[in-house]
Amino acid sequence: MESLRINGDNEAFKRLEPAERPAVRRKRSSPKMPAFMTSAPGKVIVYGEHAVVYGKAAMAAAISLRSYLLVTALSKLQRTITLRFPDINMEHSWEIDDLPWSTFAHPSKKKNYFDLVDKLDPKLVEAMQPHLTVVSPKASPADKKIHQSAASAFLYLFLSLGSKNFPGCIYTLRSTIPIGAGLGSSASISVCLSSAMLLQLRTLSGPHPDQPLVEAELQIERINRWAFVGEMCIHGNPSGVDNTVATRGKAVVFKRGDYSSPPTVTPIQTFPELPLLLVNTHKSRSTATEVAKVAALKKLHPAIIQPILEAIDKVTESAHELVLSSAFNARDDWSVRKLGDLMSINHGLLTALGVSHPKLDRIRELIDSRELGWTKLTGAGGGGCAITLLNSSASPSALLSLQGKLATEGFEKYETTLGGEGVGVLLPAVLHDGFEGEGGEEIDQESFLNANGIEGVEKLVGVGVDAAEKGEGWKFWSKIQGKQETIDV
């Protein structure tokens, strides 16, 4: 018999009966991953600002304002990756084959998905630069810096975790978190990117209701480690607290006695969900300036300022003990009042340190006069945001009156929740109808890009829709943790 050329135009091959023809061996290909979403929360500092700089404890908690990332795989012929972030008017595409794979894949540089990376490699950062300087060339210097910082986190994670064989994809980010307001927006985005790329590598399991705690903890730690790498790309020397809250959700107590080592972080997985009002002053602030202000005051009046810092530490410690106590009940007015009183005390102590601002004090005055709850600044102060723990008797009419007054005076109000879930996954990107998981609303690139503002994004991704109403949907590793004993890290 003549030799056969399977892919040729060989007449002998054509004359064979189908049963006689040799089987064609095709290279097995991996199925294209369906479009999916990841999500992570922002955060607020609830207690302990400024005292934490001097080795005291602080408490941070997740809020229900979140970032969302939609990942859509392209056809095999489309060898590009695109990062879209319409909320900051950013979009850029890179040719996958043109990226510096030889540098990132070098045996001395290559990282595995389970590795701990506690510093950026200067050679890898240098190799990325030609691919970052081309991002948003016509944007203003301030916008260009933000865009290129986001691109650097994206590319460093993509090149570290991926390979030249990675499929072309579109990564679209939407965020309901005010950017640059000290609410952990960059950490939220880093967690979204980290979890998405680890999912694409198929190195994450769950989350599912029967997942063991130890396994859920491993997934959270893996996501958190790579999110910290993203934060290093954006901030240089981050504390790691923001990405930890964005990954784990709920709340954490953190303490940093020595700045040459990472902070001690203790998760509070039993932290309750509480109604929170967040008001943005739109007054820009500098953390460095406010920290320097306290340092100067401490130097001039050490005998007065040191006890204030100690008192702030006691406030954080008291709040931590309260939420862990068996007597605490988030539905009980007494419990909520005690937490609220601690917030008011904390704000008074921060005011004594000189880090409040007339706009923050005005917000507090407007809320106190309507008896809506307990208000304090959050973060470094000097502007930024104020948070209010709402009391159960807050009337809708008083809230409506407050909303109008805040808007008139140039403030922006967000009704959110304190102590929500951490990183979440919607795979595939479909909110199913009913209990059988059949049919439902697919979230595609067009609908995601066109969602109008915070309300549009939240409605599209199913925020505020009862799980029973939508059937299967978002899943969270932090819910698995919340059912079982808390593990400190």
Side-chain angles (χ1 to χ4, degrees):
M1 183 185 289
E2 297 177 57
S3 63
L4 303 179
R5 288 182 290 135
I6 300 298
N7 293 319
D9 186 21
N10 192 293
E11 291 300 321
F13 177 77
K14 293 178 181 179
R15 289 194 298 271
L16 290 175
E17 292 295 324
E20 297 176 290
R21 294 176 184 175
V24 178
R25 293 185 178 179
R26 301 181 187 275
K27 183 179 178 181
R28 184 175 295 175
S29 60
S30 300
K32 186 169 78 169
M33 194 171 189
F36 69 95
M37 297 189 76
T38 59
S39 175
K43 71 93 181 61
V44 292
I45 305 295
V46 191
Y47 305 101
E49 295 94 336
H50 288 282
V52 73
V53 176
Y54 298 93
K56 312 300 182 187
M59 184 186 293
I63 54 176
S64 56
L65 299 175
R66 303 177 68 93
S67 297
Y68 300 90
L69 174 66
L70 174 62
V71 183
T72 305
L74 302 175
S75 70
K76 288 184 177 181
L77 296 178
Q78 293 175 283
R79 300 288 299 149
T80 61
I81 50 169
T82 298
L83 178 63
R84 290 172 168 171
F85 199 167
D87 300 312
I88 59 171
N89 298 314
M90 177 202 173
E91 179 171 343
H92 192 83
S93 296
W94 294 267
E95 294 287 338
I96 293 175
D97 297 331
D98 292 344
L99 293 172
W101 294 109
S102 58
T103 306
F104 275 80
H106 190 276
S108 65
K109 305 292 182 186
K110 181 61 181 172
K111 298 296 181 184
N112 292 303
Y113 67 87
F114 49 78
D115 286 337
L116 173 63
V117 180
D118 56 8
K119 59 184 177 182
L120 301 180
D121 189 309
K123 292 288 186 185
L124 302 183
V125 173
E126 181 183 355
M128 289 198 309
Q129 292 312 304
H131 306 277
L132 296 176
T133 55
V134 295
V135 174
S136 302
K138 296 180 180 179
S140 69
D143 287 345
K144 186 186 296 185
K145 182 179 179 181
I146 294 171
H147 295 184
Q148 292 184 358
S149 292
S152 69
F154 171 72
L155 277 186
Y156 201 100
L157 292 179
F158 183 82
L159 288 161
S160 296
L161 291 169
S163 72
K164 202 170 183 177
N165 297 324
F166 228 59
C169 285
I170 298 173
Y171 298 82
T172 301
L173 277 160
R174 298 296 307 268
S175 184
T176 65
I177 308 166
I179 293 171
L183 301 175
S185 59
S186 67
S188 172
I189 289 164
S190 293
V191 171
C192 287
L193 292 171
S194 167
S195 54
M197 291 180 193
L198 289 167
L199 281 166
Q200 286 183 288
L201 285 172
R202 292 176 167 82
T203 58
L204 293 178
S205 63
H208 55 81
D210 299 323
Q211 189 169 31
L213 173 61
V214 173
E215 186 178 292
E217 177 68 27
L218 177 62
Q219 314 313 307
I220 286 176
E221 183 58 27
R222 195 167 285 165
I223 293 166
N224 195 30
R225 284 182 176 187
W226 283 102
F228 181 67
V229 175
E231 279 283 86
M232 285 193 288
C233 291
I234 296 170
H235 295 297
N237 185 31
S239 68
V241 171
D242 285 12
N243 52 276
T244 299
V245 175
T247 307
R248 292 182 170 278
K250 298 299 181 181
V252 301
V253 170
F254 60 99
K255 196 172 186 176
R256 194 169 196 170
D258 179 3
Y259 272 76
S260 64
S261 58
T264 302
V265 179
T266 305
I268 313 173
Q269 291 305 139
T270 55
F271 193 92
E273 292 193 11
L274 297 164
L276 190 77
L277 201 65
L278 189 149
V279 182
N280 191 351
T281 65
H282 289 295
K283 168 69 175 67
S284 60
R285 82 284 181 273
S286 164
T287 298
T289 298
E290 300 306 314
V291 169
K293 190 188 296 183
V294 175
L297 200 62
K298 186 174 182 290
K299 187 176 181 180
L300 280 173
H301 307 285
I304 298 171
I305 301 306
Q306 186 60 34
I308 293 176
L309 297 173
E310 298 285 353
I312 292 174
D313 189 40
K314 286 293 183 185
V315 167
T316 305
E317 183 183 322
S318 298
H320 190 194
E321 290 175 355
L322 177 62
V323 296
L324 292 180
S325 71
S326 58
F328 183 81
N329 182 345
R331 297 183 181 87
D332 174 55
D333 288 346
W334 174 86
S335 296
V336 176
R337 174 170 289 280
K338 286 202 73 173
L339 270 186
D341 286 343
L342 290 170
M343 288 175 66
S344 296
I345 293 167
N346 199 164
H347 181 81
L349 293 167
L350 290 168
T351 300
L353 292 177
V355 297
S356 190
H357 185 274
K359 289 193 172 187
L360 290 166
D361 293 333
R362 176 58 176 161
I363 291 167
R364 194 161 186 259
E365 179 188 353
L366 290 171
I367 292 169
D368 285 353
S369 66
R370 290 165 173 79
E371 300 182 343
L372 292 172
W374 302 266
T375 302
K376 68 177 286 290
L377 66 84
T378 182
C385 294
I387 55 173
T388 300
L389 179 62
L390 293 172
N391 63 40
S392 59
S393 60
S395 72
S397 60
L399 282 168
L400 191 61
S401 164
L402 174 68
Q403 181 173 328
K405 190 64 176 172
L406 290 172
T408 300
E409 298 193 19
F411 302 122
E412 190 170 10
K413 177 179 74 72
Y414 301 85
E415 292 185 31
T416 180
T417 302
L418 190 68
E421 302 298 342
V423 59
V425 181
L426 182 65
L427 197 168
V430 177
L431 291 172
H432 293 294
D433 292 326
F435 292 97
E436 300 301 319
E438 304 233 342
E441 182 182 356
E442 179 181 355
I443 302 172
D444 58 22
Q445 289 287 337
E446 183 179 2
S447 61
F448 194 47
L449 280 170
N450 292 333
N452 187 19
I454 290 176
E455 289 186 3
V457 171
E458 290 187 338
K459 182 179 179 181
L460 181 66
V461 301
V463 171
V465 178
D466 188 84
E469 184 181 331
K470 274 290 184 184
E472 290 190 8
W474 287 95
K475 294 181 173 62
F476 304 90
W477 284 280
S478 54
K479 281 193 173 180
I480 297 164
Q481 286 191 316
K483 294 178 183 177
Q484 302 174 65
E485 182 183 355
T486 301
I487 291 181
D488 290 348
V489 296

